[in-house]
Amino acid sequence: MRSLIIIAIHLCAALTPLAVWHNSSVQQERPFPGWPNELHGRELTPLPLTAQEQGFSRGFPGKIGRFNDGGRDVIIRYVERPTRNLHPSADCLRGAGFAMSNQPIWRDAEDRLWGCVLAERGGESYRVCEHIRDDSGNGWYDVSSWFWSALLNNDEGPWWAVTIAERV
Amino acid sequence: MTASHRFVCMQIIAFWPVWLWYGQRMLDRSDEPWGILALATVLFIVAQKRTGHIVSRRALIIATTLTLIYAVTFALLPPLLRAIVAVLAIAVTLSGIGYGRTLQAGVAGLLLLSLPLIASLQFYGGFPIRAITAFFSSGLLQLIDYDVQPQGTLLFWQGEVIAVDAPCAGIKMLWTALYLNFTLAAWRDLGLLATWLSTSVTMFSVFIGNVLRSTLLFFTESGIINAPDIAHSLIGIIVFALVASAVLGFHQCNGRATPCAV
């Protein structure tokens, strides 16, 4: 009898994932204000998303845009709520086969702090810097700081996560 | 094949979505692949132990209860938390097979470390750990007359900002130190209380190491000491060596018949 119960529970565990109906409750999306036209005074030209970026955008609470500012690749993620799905750029690049090493924090001309890494693959090297900001002028240089700040302050967003990749 | 081995096979089949997720996470390379090392270590150690033990009735009940929790909460929990429940159930069974115990905490710890945890630990733990590290580092620096003020993960000193950045959370140092601790605990078959004690010492050593590293890095990053680029990595390696020595030293003392302290 005991063996039967044990087998039944394990069978139930094995079959549950097949039966689970994922309740995909639709979140109320706020109106998207549109992508910025420029960054650091340089005009942004929209580019199509790569297959990997399209993969990341599935289930992402917001939108992802890819741009070129005349010399650098720029990824902008529009984030509607605090989420684990806002991955650090380093994780995405590591997934794309880049070797990562950390770089010093970069302070831009507008006094914003950017978290930076050096991404290397097959003789190509990129300095990749990331900054997250909201529309009130608050900024963060890494996703963990942003997540906790948004959660603890009960911020409603939206936020803009900007990643700049510059060939070095 | 013994009844215990059949039970493990049943668990492996029951938790198939966990292995699918695990494989995907390993293949997408978005996290450090260190979990494979922990998995290989725990399998090696359990294989080295006597495998003639029969999983006790108590262990069977606990493992099956964990399987039931896994099934009931499947739709509610994210994949990582589901995987934690699944590997704990397997840890109970492996502890029974390898050690004749209900739970060998070193085995459970190594199985938890085998999961792709590092990216999630960086995400959720990164900021709180760095903020605490910055707070204690600034305290240490103030003790030696540097007027350093912490603000979140930043240190302010004479108009300069020095960031305690993502690597300074010490998540990799924590993972490696815990790996060392759980490997020793599983190899030496430490009991639950002894493993809890050694794990606490390990975590405390990592915390102290992290504060020490951030404090030392303040001098190189602020330019007070003109050090070459390699100094950053070198300080990290030296501090980790100290932490690892503390963990090894604790295990060594803990294994003696008489205490180390005089």
Side-chain angles (χ1 to χ4, degrees):
Chain A
M1 183 63 184
R2 200 175 65 216
S3 300
L4 273 178
I5 292 171
I6 289 172
I7 291 169
I9 287 174
H10 283 80
L11 196 65
C12 173
L15 295 177
T16 300
L18 305 175
V20 166
W21 176 63
H22 288 281
N23 184 6
S24 53
S25 58
V26 180
Q27 294 266 343
Q28 185 67 46
E29 280 191 21
R30 65 183 85 206
F32 179 57
W35 297 113
N37 296 319
E38 56 90 29
L39 178 69
H40 294 141
R42 297 157 81 156
E43 193 182 336
L44 293 173
T45 309
L47 297 172
L49 292 181
T50 63
Q52 192 194 23
E53 286 154 1
Q54 280 173 358
F56 282 131
S57 68
R58 277 192 286 276
F60 182 75
K63 295 181 187 303
I64 301 177
R66 183 164 163 254
F67 306 86
N68 187 283
D69 72 353
R72 307 178 299 183
D73 276 346
V74 178
I75 307 284
I76 302 178
R77 289 173 287 177
Y78 170 77
V79 195
E80 292 176 335
R81 60 175 185 274
T83 172
R84 171 71 177 92
N85 285 338
L86 183 67
H87 300 288
S89 303
D91 288 357
C92 308
L93 288 161
R94 196 180 295 111
F98 284 90
M100 313 302 301
S101 54
N102 292 293
Q103 295 281 293
I105 298 280
W106 170 50
R107 188 196 289 263
D108 70 10
E110 291 156 2
D111 218 26
R112 291 178 182 150
L113 297 177
W114 296 67
C116 298
V117 289
L118 187 70
E120 295 173 283
R121 184 180 65 181
E124 290 179 320
S125 294
Y126 297 89
R127 181 169 173 258
V128 181
C129 294
E130 185 169 64
H131 177 84
I132 304 154
R133 64 175 170 80
D134 62 15
D135 291 332
S136 311
N138 300 307
W140 301 266
Y141 65 87
D142 73 296
V143 291
S144 185
S145 307
W146 161 77
F147 177 79
W148 283 104
S149 172
L151 207 66
L152 296 175
N153 298 323
N154 210 14
D155 289 347
E156 292 188 351
W159 299 270
W160 302 85
V162 182
T163 304
I164 300 173
E166 187 174 17
R167 198 165 187 147
V168 289
Chain B
M1 189 183 266
T2 66
S4 301
H5 290 114
R6 279 199 296 275
F7 187 68
V8 176
C9 291
M10 203 154 62
Q11 286 182 310
I12 290 170
I13 293 168
F15 300 134
W16 65 269
V18 172
W19 320 133
L20 201 67
W21 166 80
Y22 189 88
Q24 283 169 349
R25 285 299 307 272
M26 286 297 149
L27 290 175
D28 74 16
R29 296 183 294 182
S30 61
D31 205 343
E32 301 290 347
W34 300 1
I36 296 287
L37 177 67
L39 185 62
T41 306
V42 71
L43 293 178
F44 174 78
I45 292 175
V46 171
Q48 293 296 307
K49 302 287 170 186
R50 271 185 61 202
T51 53
H53 291 298
I54 294 168
V55 179
S56 67
R57 188 178 167 196
R58 191 172 166 210
L60 277 179
I61 291 170
I62 293 172
T64 305
T65 305
L66 284 166
T67 308
L68 187 63
I69 291 170
Y70 165 90
V72 170
T73 58
F74 187 89
L76 307 171
L77 297 183
L80 180 61
L81 293 184
R82 287 201 295 253
I84 287 173
V85 178
V87 297
L88 284 177
I90 289 184
V92 171
T93 314
L94 288 185
S95 301
I97 291 172
Y99 301 83
R101 279 178 181 271
T102 304
L103 183 68
Q104 210 296 324
V107 168
L110 282 172
L111 280 173
L112 288 174
L113 289 180
S114 75
L115 297 173
L117 288 170
I118 293 179
S120 292
L121 285 176
Q122 294 275 21
F123 188 92
Y124 293 111
F127 173 74
I129 293 172
R130 283 183 290 137
I132 293 167
T133 303
F135 177 79
F136 281 96
S137 285
S138 64
L140 268 184
L141 290 163
Q142 283 165 11
L143 279 179
I144 50 172
D145 279 347
Y146 285 89
D147 185 21
V148 178
Q149 297 302 323
Q151 191 181 319
T153 61
L154 301 173
L155 297 174
F156 287 82
W157 179 69
Q158 292 190 349
E160 284 205 44
V161 183
I162 295 112
V164 179
D165 57 8
C168 292
I171 298 291
K172 289 180 181 178
M173 181 155 72
L174 178 67
W175 192 98
T176 315
L178 284 175
Y179 168 78
L180 182 63
N181 170 58
F182 288 135
T183 299
L184 290 168
W187 185 257
R188 299 174 56 217
D189 190 15
L190 292 188
L192 273 179
L193 189 65
T195 309
W196 172 78
L197 199 62
S198 69
T199 306
S200 303
V201 168
T202 302
M203 293 176 82
F204 183 70
S205 305
V206 170
F207 168 70
I208 297 293
N210 231 11
V211 172
L212 182 65
R213 181 173 60 174
S214 290
T215 308
L216 292 172
L217 286 175
F218 166 79
F219 292 101
T220 57
E221 298 302 307
S222 62
I224 295 171
I225 294 175
N226 223 342
D229 287 347
I230 198 168
H232 196 111
S233 308
L234 209 59
I235 288 171
I237 291 167
I238 292 168
V239 168
F240 177 70
L242 291 173
V243 169
S245 305
V247 175
L248 286 171
F250 182 80
H251 274 272
Q252 209 170 15
C253 288
N254 210 21
R256 288 187 187 173
T258 51
C260 290
V262 179

